[in-house]
Amino acid sequence: MAEREFGLDPMSLAMAEARAAALAGEVPVGAVIVRDGHVLARAGNAPLAERDPTAHAEIRAIRSACAATGDERLAGADLYVTLEPCTMCAAAISFARIRRLYFGAPDPKGGAVESGVRFYAAPTCHHAPEVYGGIRESEAAALLREFFKDRR
């Protein structure tokens, strides 16, 4: 059902997914969902490849983890993502009942956790995960800067 990753921390796996997304021409964001020491899912951004604006790394990882567990809730699971989630992804994280969210670089323009709408602080938010930002922030931010520098 789930793979166990030895020797790699979840954020390293998320960074690998982000780099793979960049090589595919996608914005380099990667996500990994872990529960009880097992990787339930890992994904990179793929809106271009899937021709789907909802194919963000977090959404793809949540869908995959739910399919792997046979449950629409991921209670007790932790999500590692290289960039602060947008509003859509923050809502999906809440609805999936993710226990903890770890993210790399903040996203002042599109983020919705510590930036922008601050989704989890809204009184209408039913479930807010524990949030830990800035995990390998400089590495995640550098990957994004390089990706966009090459496109300008």
Side-chain angles (χ1 to χ4, degrees):
M1 170 157 68
E3 69 182 281
R4 187 178 273 281
E5 298 287 341
F6 294 99
L8 284 177
D9 69 281
M11 191 56 90
S12 290
L13 298 174
M15 291 299 297
E17 292 293 331
R19 284 191 283 283
L23 288 173
E26 303 280 359
V27 174
V29 178
V32 173
I33 298 177
V34 177
R35 182 166 60 194
D36 299 327
H38 294 276
V39 174
L40 298 178
R42 49 204 278 180
N45 263 2
L48 299 174
E50 294 183 10
R51 299 201 182 328
D52 178 357
T54 69
H56 289 194
E58 302 96 319
I59 300 289
R60 294 179 72 230
I62 288 169
R63 287 176 179 158
S64 183
C66 288
T69 62
D71 194 350
E72 77 278 8
R73 301 275 193 252
L74 297 170
D78 300 332
L79 171 66
Y80 294 78
V81 63
T82 58
L83 181 65
E84 178 183 359
C86 69
T87 305
M88 173 183 69
C89 292
I93 291 163
S94 176
F95 294 144
R97 303 299 193 263
I98 298 285
R99 175 179 61 178
R100 292 185 196 109
L101 166 65
Y102 299 90
F103 71 86
D107 186 357
K109 284 186 174 181
V113 176
E114 292 180 351
S115 306
V117 300
R118 297 181 183 198
F119 186 86
Y120 302 129
T124 55
C125 178
H126 295 293
H127 168 78
E130 294 175 33
V131 176
Y132 303 92
I135 311 300
R136 292 174 65 175
E137 177 180 346
S138 59
E139 182 181 356
L143 185 58
L144 287 158
R145 268 193 312 277
E146 285 301 310
F147 177 80
F148 287 112
K149 182 182 85 174
D150 292 344
R151 276 155 181 68
R152 290 188 177 117

